[in-house]
Amino acid sequence: MNSYLASILIFTGINLISVLGMFLLMGLTGLLSFGQVGFMAIGAYVTAISYMRFGLPFGAGLLLGVGVSLLVGLVIGTVTLKLRNDYFALATYGFAEVIKNVLIYFSGYTGGSMGVFGIPAIVTLPMVIVIFLAALVLCRNFKVSKLGRNSLAIRNDELAAKVMGINTFKQKLLVFLFSAVFGSVAGSLLAFSTYYIEPNMFNWSKSVELIVIVFFGGINSLTGVVFAGMALTLLPEILHFGAEWRMVIYTAIIIVTMIYRPTGLFGRWELSLSQILGWIKGRRKSAVGRGGQGA
Amino acid sequence: MKEQPKTLLQMNNVTMRFGGVVAVNGVNINLSEGRLAGIIGPNGAGKTTVFNLISGVYDPVEGDIRFRDQVISGKSPSEITHLGIARTFQNIRLFKGLNVFDNVKMATNCRTEYSFMEGVLGLPRVWRQEKESAAEVERYLELVGLLGYENTWPENLAYGLQRKLELARALATKPALLLLDEPAAGLNPTEIRELMDIIRRIHKELDMTILLIEHHMDMVMDICEELWVMNFGKVIANGDPEHIQREPEVLRAYLGS
Ligand SMILES: Nc1ncnc2c1ncn2[C@@H]1O[C@H](COP(=O)(O)OP(=O)(O)O)[C@@H](O)[C@H]1O
Ligand SMILES: [Mg+2]
């Protein structure tokens, strides 16, 4: 495969992994978070520094990144998830900014605003695809089990959810941590596919991108966010949009979606295996039917 | 000789204030196990607030509430639900993002045992329990007459059916005590008769203690074995329906004489 195409696909896959985390948090649970990019930064830097400085293998560094993200997530989540949802959104924005400033400040380890250079490109397209598919399966399991129902109930009416027996704080915290894992893994993969990382890669605009994807794809449709994630990551790459145009386009997408499809492009619609099998069967049948008529 | 029934719910001198408004003022309620009882009273009397206090939505500023001799005032709503109290809401609060089936199924969640990790990994225990819950949901939907509506979105249901769905959802937590806040509000006479039959069936077949708030006097007088009458945050009378109907204070509160 053409290496330019491969690198775009790798980037898209990594983005999708992070988006899946956002889908659980923002789509299903209704928690708008600007913090996902912070966990991506943690994953990226922990993995890169432990590899470059301490010779830790990539896989171990990735797991270490997840561990650090979980710890940080536990602290942030415990403090902020008792707040009202709008304050939570603000607090996560602050968290991501703090992470960025920490990266710039502790330049002895992080290279400051210059970042970390010379990270080997260990990440391959098959690796990204396998991790993405695993993440997709976890998300699907989440959605169809009691976890998904609990989250949707919380998103729709938190008080009623509590009264129906859900420990809403615990559920929110678990989802927040789980989505942080997705972000962290995506960050680790990103670091080892781009040769260098710098604090500016983990800007608030990256969070906005993730949010727009979930919003556009459908806050209740896994199929929708995967589709939107692919479209909104691939298209700008292929069409070579500049960063400034991206924000304009994101804004336009949000406004148009809000006016015409407030539940997102796909709403609640999900593509299921049985549907796909149904289509294939239906096609075969009609093909056979046509063949029969012709004969 | 009949055995003295056990007390299931006890409110001792419970008071609740909102700013300057004393919504509930020194209320004492002693509800025996197995009763089908009611709270009546004019609008703003504090009935819904009593339910909010029992279900843990608010903590009383004075007094305590006991359920099976355990103090529940101060516990969170979800803890109280786990202990065995469920309720419906006067202003229907169904989950719009979940279909009829899942609205009821989510209420069985408080009894499923699998953990977060088991859930995301989709382990066999998850599927076993999901299947058991699904069978239960069908039973509750049948009981309230909502079979066939599984895939409908709650906002697309007729008003009367939404009330029934709230009822099925509360039942699905398998409570020992069921609190119904004006279950007949907004229903037509046929629907009210149907609802009364359902409530009687729940009381008998599922062996639940039921406390309901109601405006329709004939309904209350017909199905309740015991009543509390509230006015201005206070309980002004307590007893069986015939007794209540003759209380001068009740007549004053209702007829304004
Ligand atoms: N959350 C609240 N904040 C302020 N006032 C409230 C609140 N809930 C109830 N009240 C007040 O308490 C009083 C009793 O209300 P409520 O319990 O809803 O009465 P009922 O159900 O008997 O009609 C009313 O005056 C109402 O305005
Ligand atoms: Mg009321």
Side-chain angles (χ1 to χ4, degrees):
Chain A
M1 194 187 305
N2 167 335
S3 76
Y4 170 67
L5 185 62
S7 75
I8 289 181
L9 289 178
I10 285 175
F11 180 66
T12 306
I14 290 171
N15 227 13
L16 280 176
I17 293 167
S18 197
V19 161
L20 287 177
M22 275 302 282
F23 171 68
L24 299 180
L25 190 64
M26 176 192 151
L28 294 187
T29 321
L31 287 170
L32 184 61
S33 168
F34 292 87
Q36 187 72 345
V37 77
F39 294 112
M40 289 179 75
I42 292 176
Y45 271 86
V46 169
T47 315
I49 292 171
S50 56
Y51 182 94
M52 308 284 286
R53 292 248 173 176
F54 305 105
L56 208 62
F58 169 66
L62 182 141
L63 291 179
L64 186 65
V66 167
V68 174
S69 290
L70 284 174
L71 275 180
V72 174
L74 190 63
V75 174
I76 303 291
T78 309
V79 176
T80 58
L81 284 168
K82 294 231 156 133
L83 304 175
R84 256 172 42 192
N85 287 359
D86 38 0
Y87 294 143
F88 168 80
L90 268 179
T92 53
Y93 173 75
F95 154 69
E97 285 299 301
V98 167
I99 292 285
K100 227 180 74 181
N101 284 316
V102 165
L103 293 177
I104 294 170
Y105 185 79
F106 291 98
S107 53
Y109 281 97
T110 63
S113 47
M114 301 290 288
V116 180
F117 281 87
I119 307 169
I122 292 175
V123 171
T124 60
L125 185 56
M127 190 196 281
V128 170
I129 290 176
V130 167
I131 294 178
F132 164 68
L133 288 177
L136 192 61
V137 169
L138 294 180
C139 281
R140 185 196 152 273
N141 288 343
F142 180 100
K143 199 187 162 191
V144 299
S145 70
K146 74 171 173 187
L147 306 171
R149 290 191 299 276
N150 283 350
S151 277
L152 283 170
I154 291 173
R155 189 187 80 194
N156 278 278
D157 188 336
E158 190 164 348
L159 176 70
K162 280 182 186 161
V163 169
M164 299 320 295
I166 300 176
N167 183 339
T168 54
F169 173 71
K170 185 178 160 200
Q171 170 82 8
K172 286 187 197 173
L173 184 60
L174 287 171
V175 178
F176 183 61
L177 292 177
F178 196 52
S179 76
V181 171
F182 284 58
S184 184
V185 169
S188 300
L189 293 171
L190 188 65
F192 284 76
S193 60
T194 54
Y195 307 103
Y196 80 99
I197 47 176
E198 52 156 334
N200 269 329
M201 288 163 72
F202 307 100
N203 261 334
W204 65 275
S205 58
K206 181 72 189 170
S207 286
V208 172
E209 183 188 323
L210 300 175
I211 290 168
V212 168
I213 289 171
V214 174
F215 190 70
F216 178 55
I219 47 176
N220 196 355
S221 170
L222 201 49
T223 314
V225 292
V226 170
F227 172 83
M230 285 192 205
L232 292 186
T233 319
L234 278 174
L235 283 184
E237 288 296 329
I238 293 169
L239 302 178
H240 290 291
F241 282 137
E244 51 300 338
W245 276 105
R246 240 177 234 211
M247 274 301 151
V248 174
I249 290 167
Y250 288 155
T251 312
I253 288 175
I254 288 195
I255 292 171
V256 171
T257 311
M258 275 203 307
I259 295 173
Y260 293 102
R261 292 261 333 160
T263 54
L265 204 55
F266 283 68
R268 295 153 165 164
W269 189 81
E270 289 288 14
L271 185 63
S272 71
L273 206 59
S274 57
Q275 264 171 333
I276 300 174
L277 291 177
W279 285 341
I280 296 173
K281 265 191 208 147
R283 270 224 181 137
R284 228 184 256 148
K285 253 186 219 149
S286 62
V288 168
R290 256 181 270 124
Q293 267 171 359
Chain B
M1 261 205 3
K2 244 177 113 181
E3 204 184 318
Q4 190 71 18
K6 274 203 323 216
T7 298
L8 185 66
L9 180 83
Q10 205 176 6
M11 298 181 72
N12 298 317
N13 218 350
V14 172
T15 296
M16 182 69 203
R17 276 187 285 267
F18 298 104
V21 181
V22 187
V24 170
N25 193 352
V27 162
N28 291 293
I29 287 180
N30 227 310
L31 179 64
S32 302
E33 195 154 4
R35 283 275 176 169
L36 173 41
I39 302 178
I40 58 172
N43 248 326
K47 306 179 299 294
T48 297
T49 305
V50 165
F51 273 17
N52 282 334
L53 289 164
I54 299 172
S55 57
V57 174
Y58 303 131
D59 293 335
V61 290
E62 274 165 44
D64 63 48
I65 305 171
R66 287 158 196 268
F67 180 65
R68 289 180 171 140
D69 295 328
Q70 183 182 3
V71 176
I72 57 166
S73 35
K75 288 192 187 297
S76 71
S78 68
E79 284 173 312
I80 290 171
T81 306
H82 281 259
L83 289 175
I85 301 179
R87 68 171 287 184
T88 62
F89 294 94
Q90 181 179 353
N91 47 340
I92 298 176
R93 300 183 81 137
L94 294 163
F95 300 114
K96 292 201 180 75
L98 297 171
N99 63 20
V100 166
F101 187 83
D102 281 341
N103 259 280
V104 181
K105 201 171 180 195
M106 71 72 57
T108 68
N109 288 359
C110 67
R111 287 179 286 113
T112 45
E113 281 161 0
Y114 62 81
S115 67
F116 190 93
M117 280 319 280
E118 284 176 282
V120 292
L121 293 174
L123 298 185
R125 185 154 97 124
V126 174
W127 298 112
R128 237 186 357 259
Q129 293 195 3
E130 288 290 319
K131 238 169 130 181
E132 283 168 21
S133 304
E136 267 182 48
V137 172
E138 291 294 337
R139 276 216 315 278
Y140 293 122
L141 288 179
E142 203 225 307
L143 186 64
V144 302
L146 274 171
L147 274 187
Y149 289 97
E150 285 85 345
N151 293 318
T152 312
W153 300 104
E155 61 267 34
N156 296 338
L157 287 178
Y159 192 76
L161 297 181
Q162 293 191 18
R163 285 243 175 255
K164 287 178 174 174
L165 180 53
E166 273 240 342
L167 181 56
R169 185 178 68 174
L171 289 175
T173 66
K174 264 204 180 152
L177 170 61
L178 180 62
L179 308 172
L180 304 174
D181 197 345
E182 306 209 13
L187 304 191
N188 64 40
T190 323
E191 288 174 319
I192 292 181
R193 268 197 302 281
E194 237 180 78
L195 179 76
M196 282 165 65
D197 285 338
I198 294 172
I199 293 176
R200 280 203 196 92
R201 269 186 70 189
I202 293 168
H203 181 230
K204 284 215 189 73
E205 291 174 21
L206 302 183
D207 200 26
M208 271 176 206
T209 308
I210 299 176
L211 181 61
L212 57 85
I213 294 173
E214 203 34 80
H215 263 321
H216 296 81
M217 287 301 281
D218 35 347
M219 167 173 174
V220 171
M221 294 297 167
D222 195 1
I223 70 172
C224 290
E225 306 158 344
E226 181 177 5
L227 289 177
W228 283 267
V229 186
M230 289 187 71
N231 199 14
F232 297 115
K234 287 189 169 157
V235 172
I236 56 170
N238 166 228
D240 59 47
E242 287 97 69
H243 167 79
I244 291 293
Q245 270 173 316
R246 288 192 299 266
E247 279 276 320
E249 266 217 74
V250 177
L251 296 176
R252 258 200 305 280
Y254 267 87
L255 305 172
S257 58

